[in-house]
Amino acid sequence: MGEQLTTTLAALADPTRRAILDRLATGPASVKELAAPFQISLPAISRHLKVLERAGLIARGREAQWRPCRLEAGPLEEVAGWVEKHRRFWS
Amino acid sequence: MGEQLTTTLAALADPTRRAILDRLATGPASVKELAAPFQISLPAISRHLKVLERAGLIARGREAQWRPCRLEAGPLEEVAGWVEKHRRFWS
């Protein structure tokens, strides 16, 4: 129970992974494009993408040369739903 | 940048800690009261409470005998703010 939510929150608990999702919110992007703003290696970006993909937060295209990543919002909706339960405590 | 948000999301990435926050949303509670619904030891609950306290998600009373825990919603508001940015992807 709540396993998906736990996986999602763990995936989001990293500033680079959140920045990748913010970038994908502007449209699909290749791994190279996603890596460009960061001072980290392509393999490190690939590891972050795998975490996001396992959490269902991104999906990858099947085109052989250019496998664009895109945002998948379902898990984010679950996070919003959980947090919203407690909205009355801050608004 | 985003360090508080990272700490908050890591603290939330655990079903027991989320259940503790859900319980505290109904009102302050002692450690013993918080432990009651779980099949885990008081020391294990205390460790979870320390993680939540470090993340600013709960605060503890200073009464010597009964140090009630209460929900602190500031960090949750920050999570909601980040997730809301992407709301258009699911609604």
Side-chain angles (χ1 to χ4, degrees):
Chain A
M1 216 185 80
E3 267 179 54
Q4 171 62 53
L5 185 52
T6 296
T7 303
T8 303
L9 290 163
L12 295 178
D14 181 280
T16 302
R17 290 197 288 269
R18 290 196 303 278
I20 288 171
L21 294 177
D22 287 340
R23 164 63 187 84
L24 291 176
T26 70
S30 68
V31 176
K32 255 181 137 172
E33 286 171 321
L34 290 173
F38 301 105
Q39 305 276 350
I40 57 181
S41 65
L42 273 181
I45 288 286
S46 289
R47 281 193 293 276
H48 283 307
L49 294 177
K50 276 200 191 102
V51 174
L52 292 170
E53 198 172 10
R54 274 197 294 265
L57 285 159
I58 67 169
R60 315 221 17 205
R62 291 290 152 215
E63 296 83 353
Q65 297 292 328
W66 188 72
R67 299 186 55 205
C69 302
R70 64 173 191 278
L71 187 67
E72 293 281 319
L76 292 180
E77 183 174 10
E78 195 184 3
V79 173
W82 187 84
V83 172
E84 283 300 313
K85 283 195 302 182
H86 301 305
R87 170 172 292 278
R88 69 191 168 90
F89 284 95
W90 72 80
S91 61
Chain B
M1 220 186 79
E3 269 180 53
Q4 170 63 52
L5 185 52
T6 296
T7 303
T8 303
L9 290 163
L12 295 177
D14 180 281
T16 302
R17 290 197 288 269
R18 289 196 304 277
I20 289 172
L21 293 177
D22 287 342
R23 164 64 187 82
L24 291 177
T26 70
S30 69
V31 176
K32 255 181 137 170
E33 287 170 323
L34 290 173
F38 301 105
Q39 305 276 350
I40 57 180
S41 65
L42 272 183
I45 289 285
S46 289
R47 280 192 295 275
H48 282 307
L49 294 178
K50 275 197 191 103
V51 174
L52 292 171
E53 199 173 10
R54 273 197 295 265
L57 285 159
I58 67 169
R60 317 224 10 209
R62 292 290 152 214
E63 296 82 354
Q65 297 292 326
W66 188 73
R67 298 185 55 206
C69 300
R70 64 173 191 279
L71 186 67
E72 293 281 319
L76 292 180
E77 184 173 10
E78 195 184 3
V79 172
W82 187 84
V83 173
E84 284 300 314
K85 284 195 300 180
H86 302 304
R87 171 172 291 278
R88 69 191 167 87
F89 284 94
W90 70 81
S91 61

